[in-house]
Amino acid sequence: MSEEYFEALLHLIKRDDQPLPLVRAGSHWIIAENEITEQPGLFCLWWDRPERSWSENGALKLRWLNNREPYQIVPLTIQSELVRVRPRHKFPLLLENAHNIRKRLEWQLMLEIPKVDFSDDRLSVFSLNISPFRRVIDQVYNEYDDVRPLFTSHLRISQVTLPDDRLVPLRTFLFHYALGNLRPICNIDFGA
């Protein structure tokens, strides 16, 4: 594969985004049928036009779980320019290489949960059962009782399907190529 091919796919990931097709179904939210593919490929979640800055003095402050025993909740300060968090502009939040884009997206969004409460230092809240996307969003918007309505106004998605099994290496290399270029906040391995 040539460098130009990776650049062309990266361009699609960066530019071919659309509003996330969420539909309210009673008291919960679902992804609209037939709007997100179930094929393998890459997708990127973007946060569009945040109404307020995510960072204070150029730094985003979160709490995370280290992955070494004894497990502890640790404070994190991430410089905004490292991850491209920008006020009033669209920025990348999460990049995923998925065997089934729709199923992986559903896991990241966790649409059945209104809010993950990170206010207490409970190790269970920081478990691997909580997606990286929801770990970030629910902490940044901790004043909301339900963060899901924010998804309809701020969340966008771009996707590139690469369905042939022979393209698994290409998906892997493209994922890492795009990850270094986009630097999305939810992809940081905070527990390392």
Side-chain angles (χ1 to χ4, degrees), residues 64-74 123 126 190-192:
W64 220 257
L65 183 67
N66 71 342
N67 64 358
R68 295 182 187 94
E69 289 190 40
Y71 298 113
Q72 299 173 27
I73 298 168
V74 295
L123 292 177
F126 287 84
F190 293 114

Side-chain angles (χ1 to χ4, degrees), residues 102-115:
R102 184 183 179 92
K103 285 187 179 180
R104 189 65 179 175
L105 176 62
E106 287 171 342
W107 180 75
Q108 285 290 349
L109 295 176
M110 300 177 69
L111 292 172
E112 67 281 0
I113 300 173
K115 179 184 176 182

Side-chain angles (χ1 to χ4, degrees), residues 2-114:
S2 69
E3 190 83 13
E4 291 80 19
Y5 187 68
F6 282 102
E7 281 294 325
L9 291 175
L10 179 60
H11 182 74
L12 285 175
I13 294 168
K14 289 171 101 173
R15 302 285 178 244
D16 194 22
D17 62 286
Q18 62 183 4
L20 193 67
L22 295 180
V23 178
R24 190 167 188 121
S27 63
H28 62 284
W29 294 84
I30 59 172
I31 298 172
E33 288 297 319
N34 303 319
E35 292 292 322
I36 301 294
T37 184
E38 294 188 15
Q39 293 193 43
L42 272 68
F43 71 88
C44 186
L45 290 178
W46 302 83
W47 201 255
D48 192 21
R49 298 169 287 108
E51 69 286 345
R52 61 178 170 83
S53 178
W54 279 37
S55 61
E56 296 175 17
N57 300 320
L60 178 62
K61 296 180 189 287
L62 298 171
R63 294 181 307 143
W64 220 257
L65 183 67
N66 71 342
N67 64 358
R68 295 182 187 94
E69 289 190 40
Y71 298 113
Q72 299 173 27
I73 298 168
V74 295
L76 293 168
T77 302
I78 300 128
Q79 297 305 314
S80 299
E81 64 268 6
L82 176 67
V83 291
R84 296 191 180 177
V85 171
R86 301 181 315 180
R88 294 178 296 285
H89 291 90
K90 180 181 75 173
F91 57 87
L93 280 179
L94 175 81
L95 181 69
E96 287 277 300
N97 176 4
H99 181 69
N100 180 321
I101 289 177
R102 184 183 179 92
K103 285 187 179 180
R104 189 65 179 175
L105 176 62
E106 287 171 342
W107 180 75
Q108 285 290 349
L109 295 176
M110 300 177 69
L111 292 172
E112 67 281 0
I113 300 173

